[in-house]
Amino acid sequence: MLRRLRSLFIAIPLTGALAGAALSAPAQADPAADAAVGVGVSVRAAASYWTTERMLNAKPVPVPKLDAATDAKLSQQAVPQGRAGKVDGAAGSMRQQGPIKALADPGASAATWSSTSSPPGATSGKVFFVGADGGNYVCSGSTVNSGGKNLVFTAGHCVSNGSGTWYNSAPWTFVPGYNNGNAPYGRWTARQLWTRPAWHNGANRAEDIGAAVMSTNAGGTRIVDYVGGQGIEWNYPLSQYQFQFGYPSRTPFNGQILKYCTGQSYSDGGHNGINCNMTEGASGGPWLDDFDGTFGWLDSVNSWVFWNSSGVRYKWNGPYFGNNARDFYNAIANL
């Protein structure tokens, strides 16, 4: 089934028909009309496909490659494009949502986030999907609060290959609080995947933003009501003190536990940069501004990583959240 949407974004539902995008407050501008297509498909139950063995053997999705033309455009986009705005996070029902008392500050050397009993350990998680080549892949992601209470944000390259192909051939699954193969809050399956058209059709790294609208669990509970959701912000200064999270899988990490770095984001040739030695597998993990040990505001996501001549990963870039992130969020917030 195909339906056309009036939206700035492209979406694909994993089950059922695709509803029209609804704008939610706070919005400072209506997005211009554009066409997007969605395809309803049938999928197997997540638990039947994503066995423990498949989850453990899934590989980190390749990060986007450098494109000189996009690189030049990025230098003009990593600045506020309008009025700053934000949506606050929300606590879930499953665990006490208090801040962690001793908040370590590891800098660029990734440390282990030891708690899964409250955000961000409960709101961050691992993403599992089948790539365009049929392989099993992983990314990272985070729940984000919204009117629909069912959003998981990640990188665009964790939902689409940037050449018009969606990762929907098997259940796109998010495991909040993933820890050494354990799923303390269950496995949640997406019913829609979303990204920006410039990523889906052209692999534009400035638009490497993705999100999934999750189905409810077996009890009919929405994921943000269950585990909580981080806030989100747009059009804030490029330089912010960030807590950066993800599940790095490439050596020296194994992808089995949540890691994090801290530091001041900066203009990296116009890109949103942060120093951190997390490796591939961390793609899509959240950058949280004004983080208090439990909640913050999503300011970017892990998009592409840099390494030196010895292969050591040392910094990440992410898309700047300007009007693009504002309009993207507002289009999917109530789905």
Side-chain angles (χ1 to χ4, degrees):
M1 174 180 179
L2 296 177
R3 296 183 63 181
R4 290 199 171 272
L5 304 177
R6 290 175 62 82
S7 170
L8 279 176
F9 321 107
I10 295 174
I12 185 169
L14 300 188
T15 55
L18 181 59
L23 295 181
S24 68
Q28 288 95 31
D30 291 331
D34 196 5
V37 294
V39 180
V41 298
S42 297
V43 297
R44 290 159 286 184
S48 65
Y49 183 81
W50 287 111
T51 62
T52 299
E53 181 180 6
R54 280 191 174 124
M55 290 170 68
L56 290 174
N57 291 329
K59 299 177 181 179
V61 67
V63 295
K65 295 181 179 180
L66 181 67
D67 176 83
T70 299
D71 221 36
K73 292 178 183 178
L74 282 169
S75 64
Q76 302 175 13
Q77 294 178 352
V79 294
Q81 302 153 345
R83 183 185 303 173
K86 63 171 57 176
V87 174
D88 292 341
S93 63
M94 288 307 295
R95 294 291 188 272
Q96 184 176 355
Q97 311 291 333
I100 293 176
K101 293 181 180 179
L103 194 60
D105 193 358
S109 297
T112 296
W113 191 267
S114 59
S115 173
T116 60
S117 63
S118 66
T123 56
S124 298
K126 234 177 155 173
V127 170
F128 298 88
F129 59 90
V130 174
D133 61 357
N136 295 326
Y137 290 101
V138 295
C139 275
S140 302
S142 173
T143 55
V144 169
N145 187 33
S146 68
K149 302 291 184 182
N150 53 16
L151 294 183
V152 169
F153 265 67
T154 186
H157 70 268
C158 299
V159 299
S160 158
N161 72 346
S163 298
T165 299
W166 296 94
Y167 299 144
N168 70 315
S169 61
W172 194 99
T173 299
F174 178 67
V175 182
Y178 179 93
N179 188 305
N180 290 298
N182 297 313
Y185 306 102
R187 304 175 185 185
W188 300 72
T189 302
R191 58 183 173 86
Q192 296 176 13
L193 298 181
W194 289 79
T195 190
R196 297 279 292 175
W199 170 258
H200 183 62
N201 294 314
N204 185 329
R205 295 183 305 139
E207 303 288 356
D208 188 20
I209 307 170
V213 180
M214 311 305 294
S215 299
T216 59
N217 66 8
T221 303
R222 299 174 298 182
I223 190 169
V224 171
D225 289 333
Y226 199 70
V227 301
Q230 295 295 330
I232 185 171
E233 66 184 21
W234 49 83
N235 282 324
Y236 275 73
L238 185 68
S239 181
Q240 301 285 337
Y241 196 81
Q242 311 274 6
F243 278 69
Q244 175 195 14
F245 294 87
Y247 284 84
S249 299
R250 186 185 176 98
T251 305
F253 306 101
N254 63 11
Q256 296 305 302
I257 195 164
L258 183 64
K259 298 287 185 175
Y260 75 109
C261 290
T262 56
Q264 197 81 14
S265 59
Y266 54 87
S267 176
D268 188 12
H271 316 316
N272 206 357
I274 193 169
N275 295 333
C276 179
N277 70 342
M278 282 196 283
T279 58
E280 292 87 331
S283 285
W287 298 21
L288 298 180
D289 180 29
D290 287 333
F291 178 67
D292 67 0
T294 302
F295 290 104
W297 284 266
L298 189 73
D299 191 70
S300 187
V301 295
N302 296 325
S303 179
W304 64 100
V305 67
F306 294 78
W307 53 88
N308 61 24
S309 59
S310 299
V312 176
R313 276 61 178 162
Y314 65 93
K315 70 176 177 180
W316 282 80
N317 281 180
Y320 177 73
F321 277 22
N323 289 351
N324 58 344
R326 176 199 67 189
D327 293 343
F328 182 63
Y329 173 84
N330 282 329
I332 63 178
N334 290 329
L335 297 179

